[in-house]
mmCIF file with all atom_site columns, all heavy atoms in Angstrom:
data_model
loop_
_atom_site.group_PDB
_atom_site.id
_atom_site.type_symbol
_atom_site.label_atom_id
_atom_site.label_alt_id
_atom_site.label_comp_id
_atom_site.label_asym_id
_atom_site.label_entity_id
_atom_site.label_seq_id
_atom_site.pdbx_PDB_ins_code
_atom_site.Cartn_x
_atom_site.Cartn_y
_atom_site.Cartn_z
_atom_site.occupancy
_atom_site.B_iso_or_equiv
_atom_site.pdbx_formal_charge
_atom_site.auth_seq_id
_atom_site.auth_comp_id
_atom_site.auth_asym_id
_atom_site.auth_atom_id
_atom_site.pdbx_PDB_model_num
ATOM 1   N N   . ASN A 1 1  ? 10.329 12.862  6.229   1.00 0.00 ? 1  ASN A N   1
ATOM 2   C CA  . ASN A 1 1  ? 9.797  14.110  6.753   1.00 0.00 ? 1  ASN A CA  1
ATOM 3   C C   . ASN A 1 1  ? 8.285  14.071  6.880   1.00 0.00 ? 1  ASN A C   1
ATOM 4   O O   . ASN A 1 1  ? 7.679  15.054  7.229   1.00 0.00 ? 1  ASN A O   1
ATOM 5   C CB  . ASN A 1 1  ? 10.157 15.273  5.818   1.00 0.00 ? 1  ASN A CB  1
ATOM 6   C CG  . ASN A 1 1  ? 11.639 15.473  5.704   1.00 0.00 ? 1  ASN A CG  1
ATOM 7   O OD1 . ASN A 1 1  ? 12.412 14.884  6.453   1.00 0.00 ? 1  ASN A OD1 1
ATOM 8   N ND2 . ASN A 1 1  ? 12.049 16.299  4.772   1.00 0.00 ? 1  ASN A ND2 1
ATOM 9   N N   . ILE A 1 2  ? 7.685  12.957  6.580   1.00 0.00 ? 2  ILE A N   1
ATOM 10  C CA  . ILE A 1 2  ? 6.233  12.857  6.524   1.00 0.00 ? 2  ILE A CA  1
ATOM 11  C C   . ILE A 1 2  ? 5.704  12.501  7.905   1.00 0.00 ? 2  ILE A C   1
ATOM 12  O O   . ILE A 1 2  ? 6.259  11.673  8.604   1.00 0.00 ? 2  ILE A O   1
ATOM 13  C CB  . ILE A 1 2  ? 5.806  11.772  5.503   1.00 0.00 ? 2  ILE A CB  1
ATOM 14  C CG1 . ILE A 1 2  ? 6.495  12.015  4.163   1.00 0.00 ? 2  ILE A CG1 1
ATOM 15  C CG2 . ILE A 1 2  ? 4.316  11.737  5.349   1.00 0.00 ? 2  ILE A CG2 1
ATOM 16  C CD1 . ILE A 1 2  ? 6.248  13.352  3.552   1.00 0.00 ? 2  ILE A CD1 1
ATOM 17  N N   . ASP A 1 3  ? 4.608  13.131  8.278   1.00 0.00 ? 3  ASP A N   1
ATOM 18  C CA  . ASP A 1 3  ? 3.988  12.866  9.581   1.00 0.00 ? 3  ASP A CA  1
ATOM 19  C C   . ASP A 1 3  ? 3.100  11.636  9.454   1.00 0.00 ? 3  ASP A C   1
ATOM 20  O O   . ASP A 1 3  ? 1.987  11.719  8.948   1.00 0.00 ? 3  ASP A O   1
ATOM 21  C CB  . ASP A 1 3  ? 3.169  14.075  10.027  1.00 0.00 ? 3  ASP A CB  1
ATOM 22  C CG  . ASP A 1 3  ? 2.471  13.847  11.354  1.00 0.00 ? 3  ASP A CG  1
ATOM 23  O OD1 . ASP A 1 3  ? 2.957  13.003  12.132  1.00 0.00 ? 3  ASP A OD1 1
ATOM 24  O OD2 . ASP A 1 3  ? 1.467  14.512  11.611  1.00 0.00 ? 3  ASP A OD2 1
ATOM 25  N N   . SER A 1 4  ? 3.612  10.498  9.884   1.00 0.00 ? 4  SER A N   1
ATOM 26  C CA  . SER A 1 4  ? 2.819  9.272   9.828   1.00 0.00 ? 4  SER A CA  1
ATOM 27  C C   . SER A 1 4  ? 2.090  9.025   11.144  1.00 0.00 ? 4  SER A C   1
ATOM 28  O O   . SER A 1 4  ? 1.412  8.026   11.294  1.00 0.00 ? 4  SER A O   1
ATOM 29  C CB  . SER A 1 4  ? 3.703  8.076   9.487   1.00 0.00 ? 4  SER A CB  1
ATOM 30  O OG  . SER A 1 4  ? 4.701  7.935   10.463  1.00 0.00 ? 4  SER A OG  1
ATOM 31  N N   . SER A 1 5  ? 2.226  9.925   12.109  1.00 0.00 ? 5  SER A N   1
ATOM 32  C CA  . SER A 1 5  ? 1.532  9.741   13.382  1.00 0.00 ? 5  SER A CA  1
ATOM 33  C C   . SER A 1 5  ? 0.036  9.992   13.253  1.00 0.00 ? 5  SER A C   1
ATOM 34  O O   . SER A 1 5  ? -0.729 9.591   14.120  1.00 0.00 ? 5  SER A O   1
ATOM 35  C CB  . SER A 1 5  ? 2.121  10.679  14.431  1.00 0.00 ? 5  SER A CB  1
ATOM 36  O OG  . SER A 1 5  ? 1.918  12.026  14.051  1.00 0.00 ? 5  SER A OG  1
ATOM 37  N N   . SER A 1 6  ? -0.390 10.645  12.182  1.00 0.00 ? 6  SER A N   1
ATOM 38  C CA  . SER A 1 6  ? -1.814 10.899  11.997  1.00 0.00 ? 6  SER A CA  1
ATOM 39  C C   . SER A 1 6  ? -2.571 9.651   11.550  1.00 0.00 ? 6  SER A C   1
ATOM 40  O O   . SER A 1 6  ? -3.783 9.615   11.587  1.00 0.00 ? 6  SER A O   1
ATOM 41  C CB  . SER A 1 6  ? -2.017 12.021  10.972  1.00 0.00 ? 6  SER A CB  1
ATOM 42  O OG  . SER A 1 6  ? -1.496 11.622  9.725   1.00 0.00 ? 6  SER A OG  1
ATOM 43  N N   . ILE A 1 7  ? -1.843 8.614   11.138  1.00 0.00 ? 7  ILE A N   1
ATOM 44  C CA  . ILE A 1 7  ? -2.486 7.374   10.725  1.00 0.00 ? 7  ILE A CA  1
ATOM 45  C C   . ILE A 1 7  ? -2.688 6.527   11.970  1.00 0.00 ? 7  ILE A C   1
ATOM 46  O O   . ILE A 1 7  ? -1.730 6.088   12.596  1.00 0.00 ? 7  ILE A O   1
ATOM 47  C CB  . ILE A 1 7  ? -1.633 6.623   9.687   1.00 0.00 ? 7  ILE A CB  1
ATOM 48  C CG1 . ILE A 1 7  ? -1.401 7.514   8.473   1.00 0.00 ? 7  ILE A CG1 1
ATOM 49  C CG2 . ILE A 1 7  ? -2.296 5.336   9.282   1.00 0.00 ? 7  ILE A CG2 1
ATOM 50  C CD1 . ILE A 1 7  ? -0.420 6.956   7.498   1.00 0.00 ? 7  ILE A CD1 1
ATOM 51  N N   . THR A 1 8  ? -3.945 6.323   12.347  1.00 0.00 ? 8  THR A N   1
ATOM 52  C CA  . THR A 1 8  ? -4.230 5.616   13.591  1.00 0.00 ? 8  THR A CA  1
ATOM 53  C C   . THR A 1 8  ? -4.042 4.109   13.439  1.00 0.00 ? 8  THR A C   1
ATOM 54  O O   . THR A 1 8  ? -3.519 3.466   14.324  1.00 0.00 ? 8  THR A O   1
ATOM 55  C CB  . THR A 1 8  ? -5.670 5.908   14.053  1.00 0.00 ? 8  THR A CB  1
ATOM 56  O OG1 . THR A 1 8  ? -6.565 5.563   12.995  1.00 0.00 ? 8  THR A OG1 1
ATOM 57  C CG2 . THR A 1 8  ? -5.819 7.360   14.421  1.00 0.00 ? 8  THR A CG2 1
ATOM 58  N N   . GLU A 1 9  ? -4.460 3.561   12.340  1.00 0.00 ? 9  GLU A N   1
ATOM 59  C CA  . GLU A 1 9  ? -4.322 2.134   12.103  1.00 0.00 ? 9  GLU A CA  1
ATOM 60  C C   . GLU A 1 9  ? -3.444 1.949   10.865  1.00 0.00 ? 9  GLU A C   1
ATOM 61  O O   . GLU A 1 9  ? -3.817 2.362   9.781   1.00 0.00 ? 9  GLU A O   1
ATOM 62  C CB  . GLU A 1 9  ? -5.686 1.499   11.855  1.00 0.00 ? 9  GLU A CB  1
ATOM 63  C CG  . GLU A 1 9  ? -6.638 1.635   13.016  1.00 0.00 ? 9  GLU A CG  1
ATOM 64  C CD  . GLU A 1 9  ? -8.029 1.160   12.663  1.00 0.00 ? 9  GLU A CD  1
ATOM 65  O OE1 . GLU A 1 9  ? -8.211 0.528   11.615  1.00 0.00 ? 9  GLU A OE1 1
ATOM 66  O OE2 . GLU A 1 9  ? -8.935 1.444   13.445  1.00 0.00 ? 9  GLU A OE2 1
ATOM 67  N N   . PRO A 1 10 ? -2.280 1.321   11.024  1.00 0.00 ? 10 PRO A N   1
ATOM 68  C CA  . PRO A 1 10 ? -1.416 1.155   9.857   1.00 0.00 ? 10 PRO A CA  1
ATOM 69  C C   . PRO A 1 10 ? -2.015 0.174   8.855   1.00 0.00 ? 10 PRO A C   1
ATOM 70  O O   . PRO A 1 10 ? -2.680 -0.792  9.234   1.00 0.00 ? 10 PRO A O   1
ATOM 71  C CB  . PRO A 1 10 ? -0.118 0.610   10.459  1.00 0.00 ? 10 PRO A CB  1
ATOM 72  C CG  . PRO A 1 10 ? -0.508 0.022   11.756  1.00 0.00 ? 10 PRO A CG  1
ATOM 73  C CD  . PRO A 1 10 ? -1.714 0.774   12.231  1.00 0.00 ? 10 PRO A CD  1
ATOM 74  N N   . PHE A 1 11 ? -1.785 0.453   7.610   1.00 0.00 ? 11 PHE A N   1
ATOM 75  C CA  . PHE A 1 11 ? -2.265 -0.404  6.535   1.00 0.00 ? 11 PHE A CA  1
ATOM 76  C C   . PHE A 1 11 ? -1.097 -1.211  5.997   1.00 0.00 ? 11 PHE A C   1
ATOM 77  O O   . PHE A 1 11 ? 0.023  -0.729  5.932   1.00 0.00 ? 11 PHE A O   1
ATOM 78  C CB  . PHE A 1 11 ? -2.875 0.436   5.402   1.00 0.00 ? 11 PHE A CB  1
ATOM 79  C CG  . PHE A 1 11 ? -4.189 1.051   5.753   1.00 0.00 ? 11 PHE A CG  1
ATOM 80  C CD1 . PHE A 1 11 ? -4.250 2.290   6.355   1.00 0.00 ? 11 PHE A CD1 1
ATOM 81  C CD2 . PHE A 1 11 ? -5.368 0.383   5.491   1.00 0.00 ? 11 PHE A CD2 1
ATOM 82  C CE1 . PHE A 1 11 ? -5.462 2.865   6.687   1.00 0.00 ? 11 PHE A CE1 1
ATOM 83  C CE2 . PHE A 1 11 ? -6.582 0.948   5.815   1.00 0.00 ? 11 PHE A CE2 1
ATOM 84  C CZ  . PHE A 1 11 ? -6.631 2.186   6.415   1.00 0.00 ? 11 PHE A CZ  1
ATOM 85  N N   . ASN A 1 12 ? -1.368 -2.429  5.613   1.00 0.00 ? 12 ASN A N   1
ATOM 86  C CA  . ASN A 1 12 ? -0.370 -3.274  4.978   1.00 0.00 ? 12 ASN A CA  1
ATOM 87  C C   . ASN A 1 12 ? -0.635 -3.268  3.484   1.00 0.00 ? 12 ASN A C   1
ATOM 88  O O   . ASN A 1 12 ? -1.774 -3.438  3.044   1.00 0.00 ? 12 ASN A O   1
ATOM 89  C CB  . ASN A 1 12 ? -0.447 -4.705  5.509   1.00 0.00 ? 12 ASN A CB  1
ATOM 90  C CG  . ASN A 1 12 ? -0.039 -4.781  6.960   1.00 0.00 ? 12 ASN A CG  1
ATOM 91  O OD1 . ASN A 1 12 ? 0.909  -4.126  7.374   1.00 0.00 ? 12 ASN A OD1 1
ATOM 92  N ND2 . ASN A 1 12 ? -0.764 -5.560  7.728   1.00 0.00 ? 12 ASN A ND2 1
ATOM 93  N N   . TYR A 1 13 ? 0.433  -3.103  2.715   1.00 0.00 ? 13 TYR A N   1
ATOM 94  C CA  . TYR A 1 13 ? 0.345  -3.103  1.265   1.00 0.00 ? 13 TYR A CA  1
ATOM 95  C C   . TYR A 1 13 ? 1.056  -4.354  0.765   1.00 0.00 ? 13 TYR A C   1
ATOM 96  O O   . TYR A 1 13 ? 2.211  -4.581  1.099   1.00 0.00 ? 13 TYR A O   1
ATOM 97  C CB  . TYR A 1 13 ? 1.019  -1.865  0.684   1.00 0.00 ? 13 TYR A CB  1
ATOM 98  C CG  . TYR A 1 13 ? 0.297  -0.583  0.978   1.00 0.00 ? 13 TYR A CG  1
ATOM 99  C CD1 . TYR A 1 13 ? 0.349  -0.001  2.239   1.00 0.00 ? 13 TYR A CD1 1
ATOM 100 C CD2 . TYR A 1 13 ? -0.436 0.052   -0.002  1.00 0.00 ? 13 TYR A CD2 1
ATOM 101 C CE1 . TYR A 1 13 ? -0.315 1.172   2.511   1.00 0.00 ? 13 TYR A CE1 1
ATOM 102 C CE2 . TYR A 1 13 ? -1.095 1.233   0.258   1.00 0.00 ? 13 TYR A CE2 1
ATOM 103 C CZ  . TYR A 1 13 ? -1.035 1.783   1.511   1.00 0.00 ? 13 TYR A CZ  1
ATOM 104 O OH  . TYR A 1 13 ? -1.697 2.949   1.773   1.00 0.00 ? 13 TYR A OH  1
ATOM 105 N N   . SER A 1 14 ? 0.378  -5.135  -0.040  1.00 0.00 ? 14 SER A N   1
ATOM 106 C CA  . SER A 1 14 ? 1.005  -6.322  -0.614  1.00 0.00 ? 14 SER A CA  1
ATOM 107 C C   . SER A 1 14 ? 0.680  -6.393  -2.099  1.00 0.00 ? 14 SER A C   1
ATOM 108 O O   . SER A 1 14 ? -0.379 -5.950  -2.540  1.00 0.00 ? 14 SER A O   1
ATOM 109 C CB  . SER A 1 14 ? 0.539  -7.587  0.102   1.00 0.00 ? 14 SER A CB  1
ATOM 110 O OG  . SER A 1 14 ? -0.863 -7.697  0.037   1.00 0.00 ? 14 SER A OG  1
ATOM 111 N N   . ILE A 1 15 ? 1.620  -6.947  -2.845  1.00 0.00 ? 15 ILE A N   1
ATOM 112 C CA  . ILE A 1 15 ? 1.442  -7.067  -4.291  1.00 0.00 ? 15 ILE A CA  1
ATOM 113 C C   . ILE A 1 15 ? 0.701  -8.362  -4.595  1.00 0.00 ? 15 ILE A C   1
ATOM 114 O O   . ILE A 1 15 ? 1.128  -9.440  -4.200  1.00 0.00 ? 15 ILE A O   1
ATOM 115 C CB  . ILE A 1 15 ? 2.809  -7.041  -5.009  1.00 0.00 ? 15 ILE A CB  1
ATOM 116 C CG1 . ILE A 1 15 ? 3.483  -5.693  -4.784  1.00 0.00 ? 15 ILE A CG1 1
ATOM 117 C CG2 . ILE A 1 15 ? 2.643  -7.326  -6.494  1.00 0.00 ? 15 ILE A CG2 1
ATOM 118 C CD1 . ILE A 1 15 ? 4.872  -5.597  -5.350  1.00 0.00 ? 15 ILE A CD1 1
ATOM 119 N N   . ASN A 1 16 ? -0.430 -8.233  -5.283  1.00 0.00 ? 16 ASN A N   1
ATOM 120 C CA  . ASN A 1 16 ? -1.200 -9.410  -5.711  1.00 0.00 ? 16 ASN A CA  1
ATOM 121 C C   . ASN A 1 16 ? -0.720 -9.925  -7.053  1.00 0.00 ? 16 ASN A C   1
ATOM 122 O O   . ASN A 1 16 ? -0.595 -11.119 -7.265  1.00 0.00 ? 16 ASN A O   1
ATOM 123 C CB  . ASN A 1 16 ? -2.689 -9.081  -5.826  1.00 0.00 ? 16 ASN A CB  1
ATOM 124 C CG  . ASN A 1 16 ? -3.379 -9.109  -4.488  1.00 0.00 ? 16 ASN A CG  1
ATOM 125 O OD1 . ASN A 1 16 ? -2.877 -9.656  -3.523  1.00 0.00 ? 16 ASN A OD1 1
ATOM 126 N ND2 . ASN A 1 16 ? -4.542 -8.496  -4.447  1.00 0.00 ? 16 ASN A ND2 1
ATOM 127 N N   . LYS A 1 17 ? -0.503 -8.993  -7.978  1.00 0.00 ? 17 LYS A N   1
ATOM 128 C CA  . LYS A 1 17 ? -0.198 -9.382  -9.351  1.00 0.00 ? 17 LYS A CA  1
ATOM 129 C C   . LYS A 1 17 ? 0.701  -8.325  -9.974  1.00 0.00 ? 17 LYS A C   1
ATOM 130 O O   . LYS A 1 17 ? 0.434  -7.128  -9.860  1.00 0.00 ? 17 LYS A O   1
ATOM 131 C CB  . LYS A 1 17 ? -1.516 -9.488  -10.120 1.00 0.00 ? 17 LYS A CB  1
ATOM 132 C CG  . LYS A 1 17 ? -1.422 -9.940  -11.528 1.00 0.00 ? 17 LYS A CG  1
ATOM 133 C CD  . LYS A 1 17 ? -2.838 -10.064 -12.091 1.00 0.00 ? 17 LYS A CD  1
ATOM 134 C CE  . LYS A 1 17 ? -2.863 -10.160 -13.573 1.00 0.00 ? 17 LYS A CE  1
ATOM 135 N NZ  . LYS A 1 17 ? -4.204 -10.158 -14.097 1.00 0.00 ? 17 LYS A NZ  1
ATOM 136 N N   . LYS A 1 18 ? 1.761  -8.769  -10.627 1.00 0.00 ? 18 LYS A N   1
ATOM 137 C CA  . LYS A 1 18 ? 2.661  -7.858  -11.328 1.00 0.00 ? 18 LYS A CA  1
ATOM 138 C C   . LYS A 1 18 ? 2.117  -7.603  -12.723 1.00 0.00 ? 18 LYS A C   1
ATOM 139 O O   . LYS A 1 18 ? 1.664  -8.516  -13.403 1.00 0.00 ? 18 LYS A O   1
ATOM 140 C CB  . LYS A 1 18 ? 4.059  -8.450  -11.415 1.00 0.00 ? 18 LYS A CB  1
ATOM 141 C CG  . LYS A 1 18 ? 4.697  -8.662  -10.070 1.00 0.00 ? 18 LYS A CG  1
ATOM 142 C CD  . LYS A 1 18 ? 6.029  -9.356  -10.203 1.00 0.00 ? 18 LYS A CD  1
ATOM 143 C CE  . LYS A 1 18 ? 6.593  -9.646  -8.835  1.00 0.00 ? 18 LYS A CE  1
ATOM 144 N NZ  . LYS A 1 18 ? 7.858  -10.364 -8.891  1.00 0.00 ? 18 LYS A NZ  1
ATOM 145 N N   . LEU A 1 19 ? 2.145  -6.344  -13.124 1.00 0.00 ? 19 LEU A N   1
ATOM 146 C CA  . LEU A 1 19 ? 1.681  -5.947  -14.449 1.00 0.00 ? 19 LEU A CA  1
ATOM 147 C C   . LEU A 1 19 ? 2.851  -5.369  -15.238 1.00 0.00 ? 19 LEU A C   1
ATOM 148 O O   . LEU A 1 19 ? 3.932  -5.141  -14.691 1.00 0.00 ? 19 LEU A O   1
ATOM 149 C CB  . LEU A 1 19 ? 0.564  -4.914  -14.322 1.00 0.00 ? 19 LEU A CB  1
ATOM 150 C CG  . LEU A 1 19 ? -0.648 -5.323  -13.476 1.00 0.00 ? 19 LEU A CG  1
ATOM 151 C CD1 . LEU A 1 19 ? -1.587 -4.150  -13.286 1.00 0.00 ? 19 LEU A CD1 1
ATOM 152 C CD2 . LEU A 1 19 ? -1.368 -6.487  -14.126 1.00 0.00 ? 19 LEU A CD2 1
ATOM 153 N N   . LEU A 1 20 ? 2.637  -5.098  -16.511 1.00 0.00 ? 20 LEU A N   1
ATOM 154 C CA  . LEU A 1 20 ? 3.709  -4.531  -17.339 1.00 0.00 ? 20 LEU A CA  1
ATOM 155 C C   . LEU A 1 20 ? 4.075  -3.113  -16.937 1.00 0.00 ? 20 LEU A C   1
ATOM 156 O O   . LEU A 1 20 ? 5.201  -2.680  -17.123 1.00 0.00 ? 20 LEU A O   1
ATOM 157 C CB  . LEU A 1 20 ? 3.306  -4.564  -18.816 1.00 0.00 ? 20 LEU A CB  1
ATOM 158 C CG  . LEU A 1 20 ? 3.223  -5.947  -19.446 1.00 0.00 ? 20 LEU A CG  1
ATOM 159 C CD1 . LEU A 1 20 ? 2.698  -5.836  -20.866 1.00 0.00 ? 20 LEU A CD1 1
ATOM 160 C CD2 . LEU A 1 20 ? 4.558  -6.636  -19.409 1.00 0.00 ? 20 LEU A CD2 1
ATOM 161 N N   . ASN A 1 21 ? 3.127  -2.371  -16.408 1.00 0.00 ? 21 ASN A N   1
ATOM 162 C CA  . ASN A 1 21 ? 3.403  -0.984  -16.035 1.00 0.00 ? 21 ASN A CA  1
ATOM 163 C C   . ASN A 1 21 ? 3.103  -0.710  -14.565 1.00 0.00 ? 21 ASN A C   1
ATOM 164 O O   . ASN A 1 21 ? 2.853  0.411   -14.181 1.00 0.00 ? 21 ASN A O   1
ATOM 165 C CB  . ASN A 1 21 ? 2.587  -0.032  -16.904 1.00 0.00 ? 21 ASN A CB  1
ATOM 166 C CG  . ASN A 1 21 ? 1.105  -0.186  -16.684 1.00 0.00 ? 21 ASN A CG  1
ATOM 167 O OD1 . ASN A 1 21 ? 0.639  -1.210  -16.210 1.00 0.00 ? 21 ASN A OD1 1
ATOM 168 N ND2 . ASN A 1 21 ? 0.360  0.831   -17.035 1.00 0.00 ? 21 ASN A ND2 1
ATOM 169 N N   . GLY A 1 22 ? 3.111  -1.736  -13.722 1.00 0.00 ? 22 GLY A N   1
ATOM 170 C CA  . GLY A 1 22 ? 2.828  -1.534  -12.310 1.00 0.00 ? 22 GLY A CA  1
ATOM 171 C C   . GLY A 1 22 ? 2.425  -2.826  -11.644 1.00 0.00 ? 22 GLY A C   1
ATOM 172 O O   . GLY A 1 22 ? 2.969  -3.886  -11.960 1.00 0.00 ? 22 GLY A O   1
ATOM 173 N N   . ALA A 1 23 ? 1.467  -2.731  -10.734 1.00 0.00 ? 23 ALA A N   1
ATOM 174 C CA  . ALA A 1 23 ? 1.032  -3.917  -10.010 1.00 0.00 ? 23 ALA A CA  1
ATOM 175 C C   . ALA A 1 23 ? -0.365 -3.714  -9.433  1.00 0.00 ? 23 ALA A C   1
ATOM 176 O O   . ALA A 1 23 ? -0.792 -2.585  -9.196  1.00 0.00 ? 23 ALA A O   1
ATOM 177 C CB  . ALA A 1 23 ? 2.006  -4.226  -8.876  1.00 0.00 ? 23 ALA A CB  1
ATOM 178 N N   . ASP A 1 24 ? -1.051 -4.826  -9.222  1.00 0.00 ? 24 ASP A N   1
ATOM 179 C CA  . ASP A 1 24 ? -2.294 -4.828  -8.448  1.00 0.00 ? 24 ASP A CA  1
ATOM 180 C C   . ASP A 1 24 ? -1.911 -5.052  -6.994  1.00 0.00 ? 24 ASP A C   1
ATOM 181 O O   . ASP A 1 24 ? -1.125 -5.951  -6.681  1.00 0.00 ? 24 ASP A O   1
ATOM 182 C CB  . ASP A 1 24 ? -3.227 -5.946  -8.905  1.00 0.00 ? 24 ASP A CB  1
ATOM 183 C CG  . ASP A 1 24 ? -3.888 -5.646  -10.233 1.00 0.00 ? 24 ASP A CG  1
ATOM 184 O OD1 . ASP A 1 24 ? -3.965 -4.461  -10.601 1.00 0.00 ? 24 ASP A OD1 1
ATOM 185 O OD2 . ASP A 1 24 ? -4.336 -6.602  -10.893 1.00 0.00 ? 24 ASP A OD2 1
ATOM 186 N N   . LEU A 1 25 ? -2.447 -4.223  -6.114  1.00 0.00 ? 25 LEU A N   1
ATOM 187 C CA  . LEU A 1 25 ? -2.107 -4.281  -4.701  1.00 0.00 ? 25 LEU A CA  1
ATOM 188 C C   . LEU A 1 25 ? -3.323 -4.672  -3.878  1.00 0.00 ? 25 LEU A C   1
ATOM 189 O O   . LEU A 1 25 ? -4.458 -4.594  -4.342  1.00 0.00 ? 25 LEU A O   1
ATOM 190 C CB  . LEU A 1 25 ? -1.621 -2.912  -4.214  1.00 0.00 ? 25 LEU A CB  1
ATOM 191 C CG  . LEU A 1 25 ? -0.444 -2.277  -4.921  1.00 0.00 ? 25 LEU A CG  1
ATOM 192 C CD1 . LEU A 1 25 ? -0.211 -0.881  -4.368  1.00 0.00 ? 25 LEU A CD1 1
ATOM 193 C CD2 . LEU A 1 25 ? 0.785  -3.112  -4.770  1.00 0.00 ? 25 LEU A CD2 1
ATOM 194 N N   . LEU A 1 26 ? -3.047 -5.045  -2.640  1.00 0.00 ? 26 LEU A N   1
ATOM 195 C CA  . LEU A 1 26 ? -4.093 -5.249  -1.647  1.00 0.00 ? 26 LEU A CA  1
ATOM 196 C C   . LEU A 1 26 ? -3.723 -4.383  -0.454  1.00 0.00 ? 26 LEU A C   1
ATOM 197 O O   . LEU A 1 26 ? -2.638 -4.515  0.115   1.00 0.00 ? 26 LEU A O   1
ATOM 198 C CB  . LEU A 1 26 ? -4.196 -6.719  -1.239  1.00 0.00 ? 26 LEU A CB  1
ATOM 199 C CG  . LEU A 1 26 ? -5.290 -7.042  -0.241  1.00 0.00 ? 26 LEU A CG  1
ATOM 200 C CD1 . LEU A 1 26 ? -6.667 -6.782  -0.857  1.00 0.00 ? 26 LEU A CD1 1
ATOM 201 C CD2 . LEU A 1 26 ? -5.181 -8.474  0.222   1.00 0.00 ? 26 LEU A CD2 1
ATOM 202 N N   . ILE A 1 27 ? -4.616 -3.459  -0.108  1.00 0.00 ? 27 ILE A N   1
ATOM 203 C CA  . ILE A 1 27 ? -4.436 -2.598  1.059   1.00 0.00 ? 27 ILE A CA  1
ATOM 204 C C   . ILE A 1 27 ? -5.333 -3.158  2.151   1.00 0.00 ? 27 ILE A C   1
ATOM 205 O O   . ILE A 1 27 ? -6.536 -3.284  1.950   1.00 0.00 ? 27 ILE A O   1
ATOM 206 C CB  . ILE A 1 27 ? -4.826 -1.140  0.746   1.00 0.00 ? 27 ILE A CB  1
ATOM 207 C CG1 . ILE A 1 27 ? -4.006 -0.593  -0.410  1.00 0.00 ? 27 ILE A CG1 1
ATOM 208 C CG2 . ILE A 1 27 ? -4.661 -0.269  1.984   1.00 0.00 ? 27 ILE A CG2 1
ATOM 209 C CD1 . ILE A 1 27 ? -4.436 0.785   -0.874  1.00 0.00 ? 27 ILE A CD1 1
#
């Protein structure tokens, strides 16, 4: 239901490093 048309340039999210309670990402 989210309006993603307002985002002009899409971002890529990738996981750099897995942590015990989450992860480090690269946007």
Side-chain angles (χ1 to χ4, degrees):
N1 298 350
I2 308 303
D3 178 25
S4 60
S5 63
S6 62
I7 302 171
T8 56
E9 299 172 12
F11 288 89
N12 293 319
Y13 291 75
S14 58
I15 296 175
N16 279 343
K17 183 177 165 185
K18 297 175 184 178
L19 304 173
L20 291 175
N21 64 339
D24 286 338
L25 303 175
L26 182 65
I27 302 174

